[in-house]
Amino acid sequence: MKLDIITVGDASEDVFLELMEAEVHCGKGENKCELCMTYADKIPIKSVTRSIGGNSSNVAIGASRMGFKSAHYLVVGKDEQGQKLLDAMKKDKVSTKYVVVDKRTMTNHSTILNLNAERTILIYHVERKYHFPKNLEPAKWAYYSSMGHGFEVIHKDFLKYLKKNKVRLGFNPGTHQMRKLPVLKQFFKMAEVIFLNKEETQLVLKSKSNDFKQLLRGLKKLGGKIVVVTDGPNGSYAYDGKEFYFQDIYDVPVIERTGCGDSYSTGFLAALMYGHDMKEAMKWGTLNAASVIQQIGPQPGLSKLAPLRKILRTHPAFKPVKM
């Protein structure tokens, strides 16, 4: 049976620390704020939560919960954390056939500092020697996201795989990849959907514009049949080359925001995979993100299909508006 989706990217063990004694300082007229704690001190925290994360891992598990046959290519270390990642994928029926266990290294790690439901993420990517899987079975879709240094070595074989099997691509470049934008050119061009947040879009376009139509047009010039720009608690925007749409958030109590973007991508892609259009996909993405931010960690709140469809049925007025 053909895979519905193969996700490509790193995964990590996530440790969430809920802060008690910290402050946020924002300069006047600046978009950036600073998280401040007393230097060289012992700082108490309210709680510690361990979870499994990683952009592509979140999408693989989220897609499986939506009813799709998914697999994930990644490299993990031969350690307890790597085994937890494998166990989490198996629990959610994600194929681990293409998981590579590197006996010489540890698994990636992230520490997430949580304050007032907003997160600051400290990311450690282990140096990897990536090799795109040989004889990777055909999939209808692929999702490509965050990888560490050396990620570009898989590009030649990955692009060949996409073209040969006519795979539709969801693309969300990660932190290290964004620093080497020229090598991503073909993935932008080939993408069915490009997902970026506002700040990432400004970085890619080298723009300080806050005009979302301008940002979407600029992103569309790079490629993508559909381009999506998310803006956290302010909603999301999408453009298919013809029409611009804005989708407001689905208002729920926010516990912790890690994985919000990945869950949006998951819901959006799931809607397209079920044959829906861009407008419907924006609703699915938003509802899945709302489900995730009500729990700590990127995976516990990933929605299954039935509860998401129930919300859609009972809230017919929840839909995007044309810009």
Side-chain angles (χ1 to χ4, degrees):
M1 183 179 177
K2 190 174 184 178
L3 280 174
D4 291 307
I5 185 168
I6 173 75
T7 65
V8 176
D10 287 342
S12 65
E13 177 197 31
D14 293 343
V15 178
F16 295 82
L17 306 180
E18 187 173 358
L19 302 177
M20 297 169 59
E21 298 179 4
E23 296 179 347
V24 177
H25 293 172
C26 299
K28 292 182 179 180
E30 297 180 2
N31 292 325
K32 290 187 177 180
C33 296
E34 295 179 343
L35 176 65
C36 300
M37 294 175 280
T38 304
Y39 179 64
D41 198 1
K42 295 180 179 180
I43 300 172
I45 57 176
K46 188 176 180 179
S47 66
V48 178
T49 305
R50 295 181 181 273
S51 180
I52 299 302
N55 302 66
S56 296
S57 175
N58 299 336
V59 172
I61 286 175
S64 181
R65 290 188 192 176
M66 288 284 186
F68 296 106
K69 184 181 179 184
S70 68
H72 185 18
Y73 162 65
L74 78 159
V75 183
V76 298
K78 188 175 177 57
D79 52 19
E80 181 182 350
Q81 291 72 27
Q83 188 58 52
K84 285 180 179 178
L85 282 163
L86 288 167
D87 292 342
M89 286 187 281
K90 290 174 181 177
K91 181 180 178 181
D92 271 292
K93 299 179 181 179
V94 174
S95 173
T96 58
K97 182 178 179 180
Y98 304 107
V99 175
V100 178
V101 178
D102 186 343
K103 297 179 180 179
R104 301 166 299 172
T105 63
M106 63 178 284
T107 297
N108 289 348
H109 176 88
S110 294
T111 296
I112 297 92
L113 307 179
N114 186 19
L115 180 68
N116 301 328
E118 193 54 87
R119 82 286 186 276
T120 301
I121 307 177
L122 309 178
I123 305 170
Y124 177 62
H125 277 280
V126 178
E127 291 287 342
R128 301 286 187 207
K129 291 186 177 180
Y130 297 109
H131 299 280
F132 194 75
K134 294 182 179 179
N135 303 316
L136 177 59
E137 60 192 294
K140 299 173 186 176
W141 282 82
Y143 183 79
Y144 182 30
S145 192
S146 179
M147 295 179 73
H149 295 295
F151 66 89
E152 61 269 30
V153 300
I154 72 166
H155 281 185
K156 181 179 178 181
D157 290 334
F158 193 5
L159 288 167
K160 187 184 297 183
Y161 168 81
L162 294 174
K163 292 173 183 177
K164 178 182 177 181
N165 296 290
K166 298 180 179 179
V167 182
R168 301 169 77 182
L169 176 67
F171 185 39
N172 171 225
T175 304
H176 290 291
Q177 292 158 321
M178 296 279 280
R179 293 172 180 166
K180 293 186 175 182
L181 287 172
V183 305
L184 302 175
K185 186 176 180 181
Q186 290 301 314
F187 290 94
F188 277 107
K189 284 185 175 181
M190 289 189 66
E192 185 83 12
V193 190
I194 297 170
F195 298 98
L196 291 174
N197 64 33
K198 177 185 174 183
E199 293 73 23
E200 291 167 341
T201 305
Q202 291 170 328
L203 177 62
V204 168
L205 300 179
K206 298 179 181 179
S207 169
K208 294 183 178 179
S209 174
N210 292 312
D211 183 332
F212 280 92
K213 280 190 175 181
Q214 183 177 335
L215 293 174
L216 289 163
R217 284 194 190 98
L219 198 54
K220 188 72 174 68
K221 288 180 182 178
L222 299 179
K225 291 184 179 179
I226 298 171
V227 292
V228 176
V229 177
T230 57
D231 192 24
N234 300 313
S236 62
Y237 302 79
Y239 176 50
D240 62 0
K242 298 178 182 178
E243 296 179 320
F244 298 90
Y245 279 90
F246 166 72
Q247 174 65 63
D248 201 357
I249 63 169
Y250 185 71
D251 198 12
V252 295
V254 180
I255 302 301
E256 199 272 324
R257 296 186 188 277
T258 303
C260 186
D262 301 332
S263 54
Y264 185 99
S265 299
T266 301
F268 196 102
L269 291 177
L272 296 181
M273 292 163 75
Y274 276 117
H276 297 294
D277 62 12
M278 179 181 76
K279 291 183 288 182
E280 185 72 9
M282 294 180 79
K283 296 193 293 184
W284 285 45
T286 302
L287 291 178
N288 202 26
S291 180
V292 162
I293 63 177
Q294 293 181 73
Q295 298 190 49
I296 295 177
Q299 295 178 4
L302 286 166
S303 181
K304 292 187 177 181
L305 189 59
L308 187 145
R309 281 181 164 162
K310 182 178 179 180
I311 295 175
L312 290 171
R313 287 195 305 270
T314 55
H315 294 75
F318 181 74
K319 55 187 177 181
V321 294
K322 193 173 180 179
M323 295 168 64

